[in-house]
Amino acid sequence: DAGITQSPRHKVTETGTPVTLRCHQTENHRYMYWYRQDPGHGLRLIHYSYGVKDTDKGEVSDGYSVSRSKTEDFLLTLESATSSQTSVYFCAISESTRAETGELFFGEGSRLTVL
Amino acid sequence: QKEVEQNSGPLSVPEGAIASLNCTYSDRGSQSFFWYRQYSGKSPELIMSIYSNGDKEDGRFTAQLNKASQYVSLLIRDSQPSDSATYLCAVNMGAGSYQLTFGKGTKLSVIP
């Protein structure tokens, strides 16, 4: 058990409202990731972090920002939610100390619906 | 555009048979390769990783890698109904890369 908790697990919001999803880990791993999963697209990387205050963009970062002020927490913010951001969001961590890793452990997911 | 391609399925096999799942990738410089299993409504779970050409076996699972053909496969022997899930192929595109590129997944159904 990699000790990853996502919150909220389900959220319904309206277009234009801000939304923050939280990922919390208990193991102090360095690398954390946010993915979204949509039918027909698979899993796509939004942002990732390689340490406190160290973050970078992934494949589909437009409309999203992240913050990591503590090792254990990685926040994903939608500043102004749009219907295209309706998705299932997964946080993932890597237990590796190497950057070139694909051995990820995923949280349970957060289902976001933007009306 | 770096791509990972999988047949979407569904792939149906009878219980006890061998299930063969295939994946191709576009970036010849790719270094590491992974198979994840995802049950419906659940999160992906890593089941195999492979880093060099050839076969890697773990229990009923065998991953096969052919970098020259840019091809990765997953064999599941003695398939069980509990293996019914979507299998995601993922590729790390090389040194210093933080990013995994996932295929869209192949849905496997094992028929009792």
Side-chain angles (χ1 to χ4, degrees):
Chain A
D1 184 357
I4 308 169
T5 304
Q6 290 185 230
S7 59
R9 295 288 313 283
H10 301 273
K11 186 172 182 66
V12 179
T13 192
E14 294 189 349
T15 297
T17 60
V19 176
T20 295
L21 306 180
R22 179 183 184 234
C23 178
H24 178 79
Q25 59 148 329
T26 60
E27 304 286 335
N28 290 325
H29 295 299
R30 179 180 178 188
Y31 299 103
M32 299 184 76
Y33 308 79
W34 276 108
Y35 284 86
R36 62 178 288 176
Q37 188 172 38
D38 305 288
H41 288 280
L43 276 162
R44 293 178 292 174
L45 181 65
I46 306 171
H47 281 279
Y48 58 94
S49 171
Y50 45 98
V52 173
K53 297 191 187 329
D54 291 325
T55 65
D56 207 345
K57 297 177 180 180
E59 177 187 358
V60 289
S61 60
D62 287 348
Y64 302 94
S65 62
V66 289
S67 66
R68 192 167 178 201
S69 58
K70 298 184 291 184
T71 300
E72 59 265 36
D73 288 328
F74 191 31
L75 304 181
L76 177 70
T77 297
L78 291 67
E79 300 289 349
S80 178
T82 67
S83 58
S84 65
Q85 294 176 311
T86 292
S87 186
V88 179
Y89 292 86
F90 287 103
C91 175
I93 63 99
S94 169
E95 296 183 337
S96 173
T97 57
R98 292 169 52 239
E100 306 90 343
T101 180
E103 298 183 2
L104 304 182
F105 294 88
F106 286 84
E108 294 180 313
S110 296
R111 182 175 295 276
L112 176 66
T113 302
V114 184
L115 301 176
Chain B
Q1 183 78 10
K2 297 176 179 177
E3 294 182 341
V4 176
E5 300 285 345
Q6 298 180 252
N7 289 328
S8 61
L11 173 66
S12 294
V13 299
E15 183 174 355
I18 296 175
S20 178
L21 304 164
N22 304 316
C23 172
T24 59
Y25 58 95
S26 62
D27 188 344
R28 187 168 290 277
S30 299
Q31 298 291 316
S32 37
F33 309 85
F34 308 88
W35 285 99
Y36 286 80
R37 177 178 62 199
Q38 186 174 25
Y39 293 113
S40 180
K42 302 296 185 182
S43 57
E45 172 193 15
L46 178 68
I47 54 172
M48 289 288 286
S49 57
I50 187 165
Y51 300 93
S52 54
N53 280 329
D55 295 359
K56 178 181 178 182
E57 186 174 318
D58 184 1
R60 295 186 296 112
F61 298 100
T62 299
Q64 299 175 316
L65 174 61
N66 184 326
K67 288 186 178 180
S69 300
Q70 296 176 238
Y71 179 89
V72 191
S73 65
L74 179 70
L75 301 179
I76 307 175
R77 290 182 300 281
D78 188 24
S79 295
Q80 301 297 309
S82 59
D83 295 325
S84 298
T86 297
Y87 289 80
L88 308 175
C89 175
V91 179
N92 185 299
M93 297 297 182
S97 172
Y98 295 96
Q99 300 199 30
L100 269 188
T101 301
F102 283 84
K104 296 176 183 177
T106 298
K107 186 172 184 179
L108 172 67
S109 180
V110 181
I111 311 301

